Amino acid sequence: MTDHYNKLVKLVARAFYDDDISLKEDNNINNNTNNNNNQPKPGKRRRNDNRGIAVVILDALTRRRRWVSEQDLAFDLKLNRKQLRRTLNFLEEEKIIAREAVEKKRNTFSYYCCLDYEQIYDVVRYRVHGMKRKLKDGLENKKTVQEYICLDCGRRFNSLDAARLLSLEDGEFHCEHCYGKVEIGDGDGDGDNARGQRREKLKEMLQKMEVQLKPLMNQLVRVKDLPVPEFFTLEAWEARSRARAAHGDNAGDSTLHYGGDVQIVVDFSGTETEGKGEGDKSEIEDIALKGKYIKAYYAALLKQYELAEAAKKQQELPNSHVATYDHSNSTHAQARAADGDNNAVDLTMHNSGDFQVVVDFNGSKGVGDKSGTEDIALKDEYIKAYYAALLKQWELAEAAKKQEELSNSHTATYDHSCSTYDRQVGMKSKSEEDAEEDDGGIEWEEAPIGGNGNGSNRAMEWNVQAEEAHEGDDDDDSVDWEEG
Amino acid sequence: MFFHIVLERNMQLHPRYFGRNLRDNLVSKLMKDVEGTCSGRHGFVVAVTGIENVGKGLIRDGTGFVTFPVKYQCVVFRPFKGEILEAVVTMVNKMGFFAEAGPVQIFVSNHLIPDDMEFQSGDIPNYTTSDGSVKIQKDSEVRLKIIGTRVDATEIFCIGTIKDDFLGVINDPTAI
């Protein structure tokens, strides 16, 4: 869900804030106008060109998706702090970001900022609505106040003066000063010709706007029913991160992963079938869900390639899961947790990883409250992609034997959604565990980004990822962006 | 829009009205003075509906007039932008037409009359559709929407449009 919102933010940034912001600050009238046409005036000299900075900043914030100290942000983006602050001020005024100041020392504040997803959604809708309304009103001439010009003395009147202009002698309009004849005049010129031209221009502009804002509107529709990503106040967020730090690696990591993983699965539900309601957790037979699990399974499977060690333990885990799976999710989760505990003696890291994935499942179901619509075509795609992945698997020389065993078991149990589901759990836990070993906190940021794609491209994407291993995080980001 | 509000006014009463009927005289004078007037702030005073209270009178030096502060309830009519009104056409010319909704005068310019209605000059100037089915002339009743008001201290003037859904002629005098 965060990914959808992030995409929205990115689209908004490009649609409305890709030109020079300092100009807007100057005249500050652009709330309802079509900003795409707001080109900087050639004659005007500006100290520095701010074009595009808002886009860069917003993109950076979507990658961080939490409170960011402005100092850090300036450092990361290699921006002048003053320039950054000015842009942020503007964005805050536009209600795109939330900011808070924290007094570190006496009279020394440090500022934090964060995307305010809930408000962005409303602000953008309002803005688009305003743009449309203005153009349409202009088109239909609804709000025009007719202008009149005295032919003799050139005085201008409008229809609000009509009562005074009206002469009772002949029922015509006469100038109240010189009693000359009054004719219809137009603001820009005269007659219907100018009016017609203006209409044409407005119509064209409206059409252009509709075409250009289409991706944005689609994204708005997509986001409409999704819950807004959690948006803590700075205080709450800091408390969380403090708690994380205090609890040490294990607990801390699990909370971190909680956020990340939920995002992966939730994204699936958003792209295809909206997941399931919280009530019917036990209906695992749902085909859509199955497809989701298969997808998630790839994620885990392909990641696994990168990891030679711990493969054996991995196999033990899923086996035990198969047995317990038929129960409802909650019991499943408990079994899983117990399972993890058993392993805990020799593998603490594993334990934490496993546990976290269980949480992840609960999250995935809870989020989309709509009952899913099954998409058989999608399912087929997954199956196809699944085999592609299998093929790929064969090619890998190292750990070939282990892989083979794994895949055998998968093909055997493929029709059975439960088992794939299970397998996914196992794999996932493992991959997460490894991620933890690799780069701890950073992984929190990057993992969800990988889960951003949708549909048939998914398998491909994961393949790519598998080859790139962990370092290709930034690439993932860009891939996602183009894809959607 | 109509409002029922309480207003206050200082009434000057000639000494000849002092007596048993002082209060009645005061009220009738108030009605005569106030009803039909227009203030930019409250709109047109349509009717006085009651007296809230009459304060203590103050005798003016030299004249013998007495000033009573009177609080009274009244119905006022205040046109607003966007309001839909039904009005009677009072005058048609090529610039548009004038209509009256009670005390308020409204002008509809010819750009705010639907495009398919053409001005027909002649004995009875009017706006008519090409097929002649709808005609706006003097005494026609139209439903219109106020799109602008001009409020002076003692005068309110509006401009309206009939170029919208469900607006236009609602009763044609020639058809009756």
Side-chain angles (χ1 to χ4, degrees):
Chain A
M1 88 192 136
T2 316
D3 292 314
H4 282 294
Y5 273 95
N6 281 337
K7 189 173 169 193
L8 178 68
V9 173
K10 285 172 177 175
L11 282 169
V12 168
R14 278 158 183 76
F16 299 132
Y17 302 111
D18 65 341
D19 49 352
D20 197 341
I21 280 174
S22 57
L23 262 188
K24 289 187 197 172
E25 280 176 301
D26 289 345
N27 39 31
N28 215 0
I29 47 150
N30 291 292
N31 271 344
N32 288 334
T33 53
N34 193 344
N35 285 312
N36 294 331
N37 293 351
N38 194 10
Q39 293 300 326
K41 292 182 205 103
K44 195 176 172 187
R45 201 176 63 84
R46 289 192 315 277
R47 254 188 326 210
N48 44 10
D49 195 1
N50 264 342
R51 227 169 305 170
I53 279 193
V55 178
V56 173
I57 290 173
L58 287 173
D59 277 7
L61 285 174
T62 60
R63 281 196 295 276
R64 284 169 180 76
R65 68 185 58 162
R66 53 183 169 142
W67 288 92
V68 182
S69 144
E70 287 179 21
Q71 220 166 331
D72 295 349
L73 193 63
F75 182 77
D76 287 347
L77 297 176
K78 298 188 171 58
L79 276 177
N80 184 350
R81 215 183 300 167
K82 232 179 202 171
Q83 203 178 4
L84 177 78
R85 185 159 301 165
R86 200 166 44 193
T87 314
L88 287 176
N89 273 335
F90 170 76
L91 290 174
E92 189 190 16
E93 231 165 71
E94 293 276 304
K95 307 248 184 276
I96 297 288
I97 59 170
R99 299 171 84 193
E100 266 181 56
V102 175
E103 194 166 11
K104 287 277 155 146
K105 287 177 225 150
R106 202 152 52 84
N107 286 336
T108 319
F109 290 92
S110 61
Y111 292 89
Y112 289 80
C113 60
C114 177
L115 287 170
D116 190 343
Y117 292 104
E118 195 171 0
Q119 221 166 29
I120 289 172
Y121 176 60
D122 292 336
V123 162
V124 171
R125 271 188 325 157
Y126 182 68
R127 182 180 197 132
V128 171
H129 173 75
M131 286 161 66
K132 270 195 190 147
R133 194 187 48 201
K134 191 165 182 197
L135 285 178
K136 274 192 180 144
D137 279 357
L139 206 57
E140 286 163 24
N141 275 333
K142 262 187 197 163
K143 295 266 152 79
T144 46
V145 175
Q146 188 60 46
E147 285 219 345
Y148 303 98
I149 301 173
C150 172
L151 294 179
D152 290 347
C153 63
R155 282 198 171 83
R156 285 172 171 269
F157 308 97
N158 62 28
S159 37
L160 287 167
D161 302 315
R164 282 186 230 156
L165 301 179
L166 182 67
S167 149
L168 291 174
E169 287 166 25
D170 57 356
E172 298 289 318
F173 284 1
H174 288 282
C175 177
E176 54 182 341
H177 297 278
C178 63
Y179 207 71
K181 225 169 177 311
V182 171
E183 278 298 327
I184 294 171
D186 219 324
D188 323 331
D190 52 345
D192 290 338
N193 200 13
R195 181 171 295 270
Q197 277 176 6
R198 206 170 41 193
R199 267 178 85 97
E200 278 303 307
K201 226 170 109 186
L202 280 174
K203 206 181 262 179
E204 197 184 330
M205 201 186 263
L206 191 68
Q207 273 166 359
K208 251 193 214 162
M209 189 188 91
E210 249 155 40
V211 171
Q212 287 173 0
L213 290 185
K214 198 145 194 290
L216 185 64
M217 298 314 287
N218 288 343
Q219 190 65 20
L220 278 175
V221 170
R222 207 172 297 160
V223 157
K224 191 175 130 206
D225 291 326
L226 291 175
V228 181
E230 42 194 352
F231 172 62
F232 303 103
T233 59
L234 178 59
E235 219 171 290
W237 182 78
E238 276 196 328
R240 261 164 59 99
S241 51
R242 257 202 303 278
R244 211 180 298 151
H247 277 231
D249 279 350
N250 224 345
D253 276 345
S254 71
T255 41
L256 271 180
H257 284 292
Y258 174 64
D261 268 304
V262 165
Q263 276 154 359
I264 285 190
V265 184
V266 164
D267 186 55
F268 295 163
S269 67
T271 46
E272 15 131 6
T273 56
E274 291 287 46
K276 307 180 93 194
E278 249 170 310
D280 44 4
K281 275 186 185 169
S282 52
E283 300 171 27
I284 318 122
E285 292 82 20
D286 190 342
I287 296 174
L289 263 186
K290 186 172 145 198
K292 209 191 309 175
Y293 293 143
I294 294 170
K295 235 196 307 190
Y297 162 62
Y298 285 140
L301 191 65
L302 286 168
K303 261 197 181 171
Q304 202 189 10
Y305 286 120
E306 304 153 13
L307 320 158
E309 81 278 8
K312 204 175 125 227
K313 272 162 206 146
Q314 215 33 60
Q315 272 184 321
E316 289 165 15
L317 265 177
N319 288 339
S320 60
H321 296 331
V322 176
T324 55
Y325 182 66
D326 291 68
H327 305 294
S328 74
N329 244 7
S330 55
T331 51
H332 183 55
Q334 280 157 12
R336 186 65 44 77
D339 197 7
D341 284 342
N342 290 339
N343 289 338
V345 185
D346 51 349
L347 194 63
T348 35
M349 279 311 253
H350 203 133
N351 178 18
S352 75
D354 206 353
F355 197 83
Q356 155 241 323
V357 173
V358 173
V359 172
D360 165 35
F361 279 127
N362 291 336
S364 77
K365 302 226 164 164
V367 169
D369 270 351
K370 313 244 154 77
S371 61
T373 55
E374 305 145 324
D375 193 342
I376 295 170
L378 261 184
K379 181 184 147 202
D380 285 343
E381 265 171 18
Y382 294 141
I383 295 171
K384 259 185 250 163
Y386 169 66
Y387 283 118
L390 267 186
L391 261 177
K392 193 137 201 299
Q393 204 177 7
W394 287 102
E395 291 165 18
L396 288 175
E398 83 278 6
K401 202 176 129 229
K402 275 171 214 152
Q403 292 307 339
E404 206 173 298
E405 283 166 17
L406 266 178
S407 60
N408 282 341
S409 63
H410 295 332
T411 22
T413 57
Y414 175 66
D415 296 321
H416 205 269
S417 65
C418 303
S419 59
T420 41
Y421 175 79
D422 257 291
R423 195 44 71 106
Q424 183 234 344
V425 171
M427 299 309 172
K428 194 102 177 195
S429 68
K430 180 183 171 292
S431 65
E432 296 297 349
E433 169 210 334
D434 272 272
E436 267 168 37
E437 282 165 3
D438 285 351
D439 45 20
I442 299 170
E443 195 266 344
W444 177 65
E445 273 183 35
E446 310 295 359
I449 294 174
N452 193 11
N454 42 14
S456 56
N457 293 334
R458 174 140 299 276
M460 295 302 293
E461 191 191 323
W462 282 113
N463 285 341
V464 172
Q465 224 183 2
E467 280 158 14
E468 282 176 355
H470 270 303
E471 70 270 4
D473 286 321
D474 287 342
D475 292 350
D476 286 352
D477 202 359
S478 64
V479 168
D480 289 340
W481 177 233
E482 289 161 12
E483 217 179 307
Chain B
M1 207 177 296
F2 291 95
F3 297 92
H4 191 206
I5 56 171
V6 175
L7 292 179
E8 196 173 349
R9 181 181 173 89
N10 286 327
M11 296 293 302
Q12 298 223 10
L13 205 62
H14 194 272
R16 69 166 174 264
Y17 297 115
F18 298 169
R20 270 192 315 182
N21 297 333
L22 189 146
R23 197 184 158 88
D24 290 343
N25 286 329
L26 194 64
V27 172
S28 58
K29 188 173 189 311
L30 174 77
M31 285 178 170
K32 215 176 87 193
D33 281 3
V34 158
E35 284 178 2
T37 61
C38 172
S39 78
R41 184 172 161 77
H42 298 104
F44 297 92
V45 177
V46 177
V48 175
T49 56
I51 305 293
E52 287 259 301
N53 99 74
V54 181
K56 282 181 179 165
L58 197 73
I59 300 174
R60 295 254 151 206
D61 287 344
T63 61
F65 275 83
V66 175
T67 310
F68 291 99
V70 183
K71 274 191 181 167
Y72 59 97
Q73 300 162 335
C74 62
V75 175
V76 294
F77 174 66
R78 170 85 158 80
F80 288 97
K81 218 170 159 179
E83 190 175 347
I84 309 281
L85 287 178
E86 289 172 9
V88 179
V89 176
T90 54
M91 151 120 197
V92 179
N93 66 18
K94 71 175 164 60
M95 300 294 192
F97 65 83
F98 288 84
E100 274 175 3
V104 65
Q105 202 181 24
I106 302 149
F107 175 65
V108 179
S109 81
N110 54 8
H111 280 97
L112 299 169
I113 295 171
D115 294 328
D116 60 340
M117 297 190 92
E118 289 277 327
F119 177 68
Q120 317 281 334
S121 57
D123 211 12
I124 308 170
N126 60 63
Y127 283 88
T128 316
T129 52
S130 50
D131 61 353
S133 62
V134 181
K135 193 184 258 186
I136 296 176
Q137 63 189 49
K138 192 170 182 308
D139 295 330
S140 295
E141 289 174 24
V142 291
R143 181 173 294 137
L144 48 82
K145 182 160 138 190
I146 294 174
I147 57 167
T149 56
R150 177 201 188 99
V151 178
D152 299 331
T154 59
E155 192 185 19
I156 296 179
F157 181 71
C158 301
I159 54 174
T161 177
I162 55 169
K163 209 182 194 177
D164 211 340
D165 297 339
F166 306 109
L167 301 182
V169 177
I170 50 176
N171 178 23
D172 191 357
T174 55
I176 300 170

